[in-house]
Amino acid sequence: FFSLAAAGRCTPALGAGTHLVDLNSGGLERRFLLDVPAGVDVGAGLPALISMHGYSASPYYYSLLTGTARYNEDQHYDERHPTAAGSFEYLQRGYKWLVALPFGTAEKPSPHCCPANASDAACRGGTLLDQSNPCSWNAGGCCGTAPDRRVDDVGFVRAIASWLKSAMCADDDLFAMGFSNGAMMANRLGCDAADLFRGIAPVEGGIELGGGFAECRPSRAVSVVQICGAADGVCNTTIGPTMATWAAAAGCALSTTPTYESAPSHCRR
């Protein structure tokens, strides 16, 4: 996957752009999208983000929702407002890191986590959900096919992390985030793969124990930014216990201090 020059320099396997990478994990053929930023020395070592879509979504839908990957020709991008929500260049221009967007598991084969009758362009456009054959993550107690089959998604993410380091020269600054079921998976990674991640940023999903995920006992403290909408029933039932778990793991008090408040938002540390 990579080569080393005489001076010990790493040469990345892929250049700038968005790539579809196939990877064997646990005997299963899995895949992820990889975004490699332009205008930066990738071989010198970049931080990496592994970012997971929600239930019934795809990496294309999720990246359009969150702006974690770069613009591609099938998705809307307003050059007049490059930092607007949904404009993919914003994160990449500002932070210049590697972004891996894995595909979850569906009951029937679904290589792109899109409806079976969708064209490739429509799928990449990022506006389609597949609720008839939804892709999901084995976050423990949720959701869908992945936990039912006990899919080893922690092992899959570990394989991605290993590939990013060996093939793309990624440094040790590795982070995980996700939305909804993907956020639950990010929480599980903080519990079961704390040795890999410096921090996690789950959005609208907490720790979901169940199946083969009986308890959260991270091997070390990780930084956590947890986002939960006040009216979101998916995360509100677990946000309290989730943050208590992370506070205990970090040796922090359960009391919090407001850091920012506005009409729609309340941030606490």
Side-chain angles (χ1 to χ4, degrees):
F1 289 110
F2 74 105
S3 63
L4 294 175
R9 177 178 173 77
C10 177
T11 301
L14 299 171
T18 302
H19 309 273
L20 185 61
V21 180
D22 292 308
L23 188 67
N24 186 282
S25 174
L28 300 175
E29 290 300 319
R30 306 292 301 269
R31 56 178 30 184
F32 61 94
L33 289 179
L34 175 69
D35 192 80
V36 183
V40 65
D41 185 0
V42 178
L46 294 180
L49 172 70
I50 299 177
S51 196
M52 290 150 290
H53 62 75
Y55 181 79
S56 78
S58 69
Y60 306 105
Y61 183 97
Y62 171 63
S63 62
L64 184 63
L65 179 70
T66 61
T68 52
R70 69 192 297 274
Y71 163 76
N72 72 63
E73 66 273 14
D74 296 309
Q75 295 175 324
H76 173 72
Y77 173 62
D78 189 344
E79 293 182 355
R80 297 168 298 175
H81 304 286
T83 62
S87 291
F88 297 92
E89 297 287 358
Y90 177 59
L91 185 146
Q92 286 294 357
R93 283 179 178 172
Y95 296 99
K96 300 293 186 182
W97 49 17
L98 299 167
V99 180
L101 300 123
F103 292 80
T105 300
E107 181 179 2
K108 300 174 184 177
S110 183
H112 296 284
C113 292
C114 283
N117 60 351
S119 68
D120 288 346
C123 182
R124 291 193 302 268
T127 61
L128 301 178
L129 294 172
D130 189 357
Q131 297 179 341
S132 63
N133 186 41
C135 282
S136 67
W137 302 102
N138 181 6
C142 185
C143 303
T145 296
D148 288 347
R149 293 182 180 174
R150 298 289 183 96
V151 174
D152 184 7
D153 280 325
V154 174
F156 176 37
V157 171
R158 284 188 176 277
I160 294 174
S162 178
W163 187 92
L164 289 172
K165 290 184 177 183
S166 66
M168 293 304 300
C169 316
D171 62 24
D172 291 330
D173 290 334
L174 182 63
F175 300 87
M177 70 173 289
F179 176 75
S180 193
N181 181 217
M184 299 170 193
M185 188 65 215
N187 272 295
R188 182 171 187 179
L189 291 170
C191 298
D192 288 355
D195 56 300
L196 282 181
F197 293 100
R198 289 194 60 186
I200 62 172
V203 181
E204 308 300 316
I207 294 173
E208 293 282 346
L209 300 179
F213 182 34
E215 60 180 338
C216 179
R217 298 189 64 182
S219 59
R220 64 175 182 177
V222 296
S223 297
V224 179
V225 175
Q226 192 92 24
I227 300 171
C228 176
D232 190 330
V234 172
C235 61
N236 263 282
T237 57
T238 59
I239 186 66
T242 293
M243 292 313 297
T245 296
W246 291 123
C252 299
L254 289 178
S255 59
T256 59
T257 302
T259 57
Y260 174 82
E261 292 191 12
S262 66
S265 303
H266 302 270
C267 301
R268 307 184 70 86
R269 181 176 181 179

